[in-house]
């Protein structure tokens, strides 16, 4: 198994356990506590730096020679100017429909595509860069990340840099032992020029041994933000505090920033670090996964680390690059925006099963707050009641435009609604169902119903349909019939609305939504495989699995049935048969999830292995193109986007635990080479917390705790094993165990196999 040569991870030593046997682990006597990533210097570009963050702010630690850089970002820094064409009264869905019918490709591009490509705004902004220049002879030898401490580091010739983005307050702190560096702030100059801003204003002051520097950037529409840095050197140690503040927090961002850095310095690095580590200890303890394949284990832990670094319930959700916006003198790739045709939903797909509910709530809270904006968009652009989510949006929920087939597809809101639905299914929180999940989804359902009209066959259909990102933005991308992508989202949405209405005892609404479902067509199948749309089989290699949405993540195809399983496998095989020349990194992660959903663990692992071989940087970031040059894709470009990371994380979880269709399945797709594996605290739909262990290819122990009252339906995890002992009576019918569970009650079972302590994976805490 190939992996980046510069990865070196270490895990904590515990006398009761033996280490996983893997050459990249350091000898036991050299192992510090925690999981450490080491990147040999130089790390010459920002995108390959050590990622640090606290949800609202983030930084990348990188450098060359005697220069150490910390690229700075804050999640809510945006230029939100609106292109003039978007403000025209005829910038509407009706106009788009008319132009499509007329075949006026030039005008479609002019009104809907070109503003995204030709104008610099709207766009995410980066905050600038902290630059440490060390005296001659003091050079970086390696850059490090201790993921469990969420602490970055730089090993120097004579000293060391330690850095955190404090988990409990909006500041970053650095501690430098050895020669003190020269400290400076670099403007995001290239972006400023492209956006027409005046250069940032700089200032500095000194008082009582503390030197403070700042820059203030005046951006568009009255946005000002400041980067404030305070430093103090005592007894051969330099401590630095950094705050990124906008005038949305206070009228004077410099003054507020000064207060924050002064407070942080007065407390000191160690005191802030202690609180920071306590937060991260709680984060890591939520759930744990251990698999015997080192590179998969490492990437899983690092992907989980990205959630803790880049997503918090009270902060904006992760756009394409999280809190690590590009620092290369240009605009971020795809403007660093929110792409709802894949990226945002896949960013948060792994959070529920990992039990990372606060991190997932970032996306939910964001979309809930924007519901009034989505309602206005439905009225003003589409001319319908309810709410529609733009396929590509800014942080304020306004559409950014782009390829109109996808950036203005009205079904993207149904995919966003799935995140609300899944949060309810995993938590079974009746208040969330009543006040968030059902209201949000019903607004989307209302808008789509108003937009659809009966076709020649009497079935409801949208006026325009497409399938991301099939045929790019050509006229051919407007399909003559409803795509399987749109139809799958519609069928999923109205089925979910009926289910949620039933759960609240609202039988009238449930009947209404089922009536809508009955008026929709059926997914199109040709030669045993799902098509793009009726009469249009998948014609060539494609990056987006848009025609297979019904298999995963929507789960409309019942892969438990012989017919459904055959349809799923035939469709995946058809997709793969067109070759992987157009695939990107996320394609492999998505296929790994899909194969796991069909129960094919070996197939899932093959795709996951290819993803790890070709589509990650040394720091763990998912990269769109094939960096390995092994022929995994014809694309070799390297903007990083995070959705591939979380698809890979979810693929691992899908191999270990599934809970769709009202049944909990333990080790449903464990690859044959994972003869031993375990997990603790993963979540299952129905409100269950699940732990299990597998040894010698067989499940040896299971523990399931209910967070709500309910009936647990468990696919027998010990099928074929004798001498199973349960702690309470279970009812077995075929392969299904049924148990009435009350809140807080635990069902546990084990076999008579000899139990040994499982080796701690790098995700273990001690």
């Amino acid at each position: 198994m190939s992996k980046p040569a510069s990865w070196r991870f270490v895990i904590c030593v515990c006398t009761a356990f033996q280490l996983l046997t893997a050459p990249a682990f350091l000898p036991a006597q050299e192992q510090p506590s925690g999981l450490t990533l080491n990147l040999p210097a130089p790390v010459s570009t920002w995108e390959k730096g050590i990622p640090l963050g606290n949800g609202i702010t983030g930084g990348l630690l990188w450098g060359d020679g005697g220069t150490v850089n910390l690229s700075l970002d804050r999640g809510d820094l945006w230029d939100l100017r609106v292109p003039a064409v978007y403000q025209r009264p005829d910038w509407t869905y009706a106009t788009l429909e008319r132009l499509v019918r007329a075949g006026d490709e030039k005008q479609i591009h002019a009104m809907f595509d070109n503003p995204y490509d030709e104008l610099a705004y709207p766009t995410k902004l980066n905050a600038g860069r902290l630059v440490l220049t060390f005296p001659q002879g003091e050079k970086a030898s390696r850059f490090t990340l201790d993921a469990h401490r969420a602490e970055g580091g730089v090993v120097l010739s004579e000293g060391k840099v330690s850095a955190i983005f404090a988990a409990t307050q909006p500041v970053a702190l650095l501690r430098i032992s050895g020669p003190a560096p020269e400290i400076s702030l670099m403007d995001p100059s290239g972006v400023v020029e492209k956006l027409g801003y005046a250069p940032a204003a700089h200032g500095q002051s000194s008082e009582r041994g503390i030197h403070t520097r700042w820059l203030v950037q005046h951006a568009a529409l009255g946005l000002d933000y400041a980067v404030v840095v305070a430093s103090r050197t005592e007894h051969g140690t330099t401590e630095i505090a950094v705050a990124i503040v906008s005038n949305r927090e206070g009228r004077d961002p410099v003054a507020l920033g000064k207060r924050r850095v002064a407070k942080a310095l007065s407390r000191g690095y160690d005191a802030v670090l202690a609180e920071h580590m306590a937060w991260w200890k709680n984060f890591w303890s939520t759930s744990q996964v251990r698999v015997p394949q080192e590179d998969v284990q490492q990437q899983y832990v690092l992907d989980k680390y990205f959630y803790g670094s880049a997503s918090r319930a009270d902060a904006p959700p992760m756009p394409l690059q999280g809190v690590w916006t590009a620092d290369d003198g240009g605009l971020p790739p795809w403007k660093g925006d929110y792409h709802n045709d894949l990226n945002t939903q896949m960013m948060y797909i792994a959070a529920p099963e990992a039990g990372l509910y606060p991190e997932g709530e970032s996306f939910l809270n964001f979309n809930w707050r924007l519901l009034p904006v989505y309602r206005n968009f439905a009225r003003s652009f589409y001319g319908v009641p309810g709410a529609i989510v733009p396929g590509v949006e800014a942080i304020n929920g306004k559409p950014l435009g782009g390829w109109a087939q996808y950036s203005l597809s009205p079904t993207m809101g149904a995919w966003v609604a799935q995140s609300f639905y899944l949060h309810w299914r995993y938590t079974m929180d009746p208040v969330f169902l009543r006040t968030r999940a059902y209201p949000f989804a019903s607004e989307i359902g209302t808008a789509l119903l108003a937009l659809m009209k009966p076709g020649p066959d009497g079935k409801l259909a949208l006026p325009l349909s497409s399938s991301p990102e099939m045929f790019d933005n050509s006229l051919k991308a407007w399909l003559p019939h409803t795509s399987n992508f749109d139809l799958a989202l519609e069928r999923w949405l109205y089925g979910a609305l009926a289910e949620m209405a039933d759960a609240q005892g609202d039988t009238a609404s449930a009947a209404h939504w089922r009536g809508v479902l009955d008026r929709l067509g059926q997914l199109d199948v040709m030669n045993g495989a799902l098509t793009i749309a009726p009469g249009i089989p998948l014609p060539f290699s494609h990056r987006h699995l848009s025609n297979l949405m019904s298999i995963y993540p929507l789960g409309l195809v019942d892969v438990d049935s012989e017919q459904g399983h055959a349809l799923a496998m035939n469709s995946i095989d058809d997709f793969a048969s067109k070759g992987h020349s157009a695939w990107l990194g996320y394609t492999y992660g998505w296929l790994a999830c899909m194969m796991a959903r069909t129960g094919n663990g070996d197939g899932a692992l093959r795709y996951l292995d290819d993803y790890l071989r070709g589509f990650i940087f040394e720091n763990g970031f998912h990269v769109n193109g094939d960096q390995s040059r092994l022929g995994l894709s014809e694309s070799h470009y390297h903007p990083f986007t995070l959705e591939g990371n979380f698809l890979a994380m979810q693929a691992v979880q899908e191999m270990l635990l599934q809970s769709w269709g009202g049944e909990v399945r333990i080790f449903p797709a464990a690859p044959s080479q994972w003869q031993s594996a375990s997990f603790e605290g993963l979540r299952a739909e129905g409100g269950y917390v699940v732990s299990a262990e597998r040894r010698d290819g067989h499940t040896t122990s299971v523990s399931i705790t209910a967070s709500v009252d309910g009936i647990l339906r468990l696919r027998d995890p010990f099928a074929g094993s004798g001498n199973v002992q349960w702690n309470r009576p279970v009812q077995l019918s075929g392969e299904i165990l049924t148990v009435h569970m009350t809140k807080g009650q635990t069902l546990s079972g084990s076999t008579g196999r000899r139990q040994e302590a499982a080796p701690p994976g790098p995700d273990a805490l001690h």
Side-chain angles (χ1 to χ4, degrees):
M1 176 67 204
S2 172
K3 53 186 171 293
S6 58
W7 278 37
R8 294 295 184 268
F9 281 87
V10 295
I11 57 176
C12 58
V13 182
C14 303
T15 57
F17 298 100
Q18 294 184 345
L19 294 174
L20 292 172
T21 57
F25 289 107
L26 296 177
Q29 65 270 21
E30 298 179 19
Q31 298 201 16
S33 176
L35 171 68
T36 303
L37 170 63
N38 283 276
L39 304 180
V43 177
S44 54
T45 61
W46 63 275
E47 60 195 349
K48 296 182 180 180
I50 296 294
L52 303 166
N54 56 18
I56 184 63
T57 57
L60 291 161
L61 196 60
W62 58 284
D64 187 359
T67 301
V68 172
N69 303 295
L70 184 64
S71 297
L72 299 170
D73 190 20
R74 181 180 164 109
D76 57 359
L77 299 181
W78 272 77
D79 184 322
L80 291 172
R81 286 176 287 176
V82 178
V85 67
Y86 295 176
Q87 302 175 62
R88 286 171 41 171
D90 62 341
W91 198 77
T92 64
Y93 192 69
T95 297
L96 178 60
E97 185 181 354
R98 176 178 56 79
L99 293 173
V100 171
R101 302 298 179 213
D104 193 343
E105 188 170 19
K106 181 178 179 180
Q107 189 64 11
I108 292 172
H109 292 332
M111 291 190 68
F112 300 98
D113 297 0
N114 295 350
Y116 185 90
D117 296 327
E118 297 174 358
L119 294 176
Y121 57 82
T123 184
K124 177 78 175 63
L125 304 171
N126 72 358
R129 185 190 304 173
L130 174 68
V131 181
L132 308 178
T133 305
F134 288 89
Q136 187 173 3
E138 183 73 337
K139 295 183 178 181
S141 63
R142 69 179 187 271
F143 291 78
T144 67
L145 171 66
D146 184 330
H148 281 176
R149 293 164 61 96
E151 184 176 30
V154 187
V155 178
L156 304 165
S157 303
E158 298 181 19
K160 179 183 178 182
V161 179
S162 300
I164 60 171
F165 275 67
T168 57
Q169 51 190 289
V171 294
L173 285 95
L174 297 89
R175 180 169 60 192
I176 303 167
S177 61
E182 177 185 337
I183 302 170
S184 60
L185 283 171
M186 182 182 293
D187 305 356
S189 54
V191 174
V192 166
E193 293 164 2
K194 288 179 174 65
L195 292 168
Y197 302 162
H202 288 254
Q204 57 181 307
S205 64
S206 293
E207 185 177 358
R208 298 178 183 177
I210 297 177
H211 191 75
T212 306
R213 303 162 180 80
W214 60 87
L215 68 79
V216 180
Q217 181 64 62
H218 300 292
L221 303 181
L223 171 66
D224 295 339
Y225 69 86
V227 180
V228 183
V229 179
S231 62
R232 175 180 59 201
T233 301
E234 293 179 346
H235 310 298
T237 299
T238 301
E239 292 197 354
I240 303 172
V242 184
I244 309 168
V245 185
S246 82
N247 59 350
R248 295 192 181 102
E249 295 182 282
R251 303 180 76 179
D252 188 342
V254 173
L256 180 55
K258 286 181 176 180
R259 290 195 294 272
R260 286 180 178 172
V261 296
K263 180 180 178 181
L265 277 188
S266 68
R267 297 191 63 213
Y269 187 92
D270 286 334
V272 177
L273 177 65
E275 291 181 357
H276 170 84
M277 288 177 60
W279 187 94
W280 277 93
K281 182 178 180 181
N282 182 67
F283 171 85
W284 289 114
S285 67
T286 303
S287 61
Q288 297 178 25
V289 161
R290 302 179 183 90
V291 299
Q293 190 170 330
E294 177 204 347
D295 53 353
V296 174
Q297 178 74 50
Q298 293 167 349
Q299 188 64 46
Y300 179 89
V301 176
L302 200 50
D303 294 340
K304 188 174 176 181
Y305 166 80
F306 294 153
Y307 270 132
S309 299
S311 193
R312 301 291 173 83
D314 58 352
M318 295 177 286
L320 293 176
Q321 295 183 308
V323 290
W324 301 296
T325 300
D327 180 20
D328 57 4
L331 295 173
W334 303 285
K335 303 186 177 184
D337 57 29
Y338 292 100
H339 265 56
N340 294 316
D341 67 344
L342 162 80
N343 304 79
T344 57
Q345 298 92 335
M346 295 310 198
M347 290 276 204
Y348 286 96
I349 195 166
E353 191 163 335
L356 301 179
Y357 296 140
E359 289 70 28
E361 286 168 5
S362 173
F363 186 56
L364 303 177
N365 293 341
F366 171 79
N367 282 287
W368 181 255
R369 287 193 299 268
L370 289 176
L371 191 54
V373 179
Y374 299 155
R375 291 189 189 114
N376 182 66
F377 184 50
R379 289 193 301 272
S380 63
F381 186 81
Y382 294 92
V384 296
I388 293 179
V389 180
V392 179
E393 66 180 326
I395 196 172
N396 61 358
K398 300 293 183 65
L400 268 73
W403 293 356
Q405 294 90 337
Y406 324 115
S407 69
L408 296 169
S409 167
T411 57
M412 301 306 178
W415 199 350
V416 172
Q418 191 194 27
S419 296
F420 284 82
Y421 169 84
L422 289 175
H423 184 84
W424 165 61
R425 284 294 302 151
Y426 276 89
T427 64
M428 296 307 294
D429 181 349
V431 176
F432 183 84
L433 170 64
R434 184 178 69 253
T435 64
R436 293 287 181 94
Y438 183 73
F440 187 91
S442 64
E443 295 252 17
I444 303 297
T446 296
L448 289 178
L449 178 58
L451 200 59
M452 290 188 290
K453 299 292 184 282
D457 60 357
K459 297 296 184 181
L460 293 175
L462 293 169
L464 299 172
S465 187
S466 61
S467 185
E469 297 163 348
M470 182 56 59
F471 306 119
D472 294 342
N473 64 336
S474 68
L475 279 177
K476 192 176 181 180
W478 301 103
L479 302 172
H481 304 288
T482 301
S483 67
N484 271 340
F485 174 83
D486 284 339
L487 185 56
L489 283 165
E490 292 161 358
R491 293 194 64 84
W492 174 85
L493 176 65
Y494 293 111
L497 281 166
E499 179 188 351
M500 290 188 283
D502 277 334
Q504 299 173 87
D506 186 351
T507 55
S509 293
H512 166 68
W513 298 124
R514 288 194 176 93
V516 177
L517 184 60
D518 289 341
R519 296 172 66 193
L520 297 174
Q522 297 296 321
L523 296 169
D524 187 69
V525 176
M526 182 183 296
N527 297 323
L530 291 160
T531 63
I532 298 298
I536 307 177
L538 181 71
F540 40 62
S541 179
H542 189 44
R543 57 190 173 270
H544 196 301
L545 283 81
S546 51
N547 64 313
L548 307 186
M549 287 284 293
S550 56
I551 303 172
Y552 189 88
L554 300 180
L556 297 179
V557 176
D558 180 11
V559 296
D560 268 352
S561 71
E562 183 177 348
Q563 182 179 5
H565 190 272
L567 174 61
M569 293 309 302
N570 288 341
S571 300
I572 296 170
D573 288 345
D574 179 61
F575 189 91
S577 72
K578 304 303 187 292
H580 48 242
S581 60
W583 295 6
L584 299 178
Y586 72 75
T587 313
Y588 285 88
W590 193 348
L591 279 166
C593 289
M594 199 169 290
M595 292 294 277
R597 179 57 63 94
T598 68
N600 189 334
D602 288 343
L605 186 58
R606 283 196 301 273
Y607 286 121
L608 188 58
D609 282 346
D610 284 341
Y611 167 78
L612 294 175
R613 286 196 301 155
F615 299 92
I616 52 173
F617 276 148
E618 292 87 345
N619 63 359
F621 281 161
H622 157 253
V623 192
N624 281 259
D626 175 13
Q627 306 303 294
S628 68
R629 305 279 174 164
L630 294 175
L632 298 172
S633 172
E634 66 183 8
S635 298
H636 305 291
Y637 69 146
H638 56 84
F640 85 83
T641 55
L642 293 172
E643 77 286 337
N645 289 103
F646 302 115
L647 279 164
M649 179 178 173
Q650 179 64 4
V652 174
Q653 293 177 168
E654 286 276 339
M655 294 182 209
L656 302 177
L657 176 68
Q658 296 177 23
S659 53
W660 49 272
E663 296 177 6
V664 175
R665 299 161 172 84
I666 292 173
F667 299 122
S672 57
Q673 71 184 74
W674 291 6
Q675 291 293 295
S676 296
S678 67
F679 59 88
E680 298 171 16
L682 292 182
R683 272 47 170 188
E685 292 187 34
Y688 300 107
V689 181
V690 186
S691 302
E693 184 177 20
R694 169 183 172 88
R695 285 192 171 276
D696 300 324
H698 299 279
T699 304
T700 56
S701 66
V702 169
S703 174
I704 303 174
T705 300
S707 61
V708 295
D709 295 349
I711 298 176
L712 169 66
R713 289 174 52 81
L714 173 65
R715 188 70 63 91
D716 186 1
F718 302 111
S721 299
N723 194 24
V724 178
Q725 299 176 348
W726 294 99
N727 68 330
R728 52 194 308 265
V730 298
Q731 180 179 347
L732 178 62
S733 176
E735 296 182 339
I736 304 300
L737 294 164
T738 304
V739 187
H740 290 263
M741 303 281 283
T742 58
K743 181 178 180 179
Q745 193 172 55
T746 297
L747 171 70
S748 60
S750 62
T751 67
R753 294 176 180 269
R754 183 171 61 90
Q755 297 295 300
E756 299 175 357
D763 201 11
L765 286 173
H766 302 287

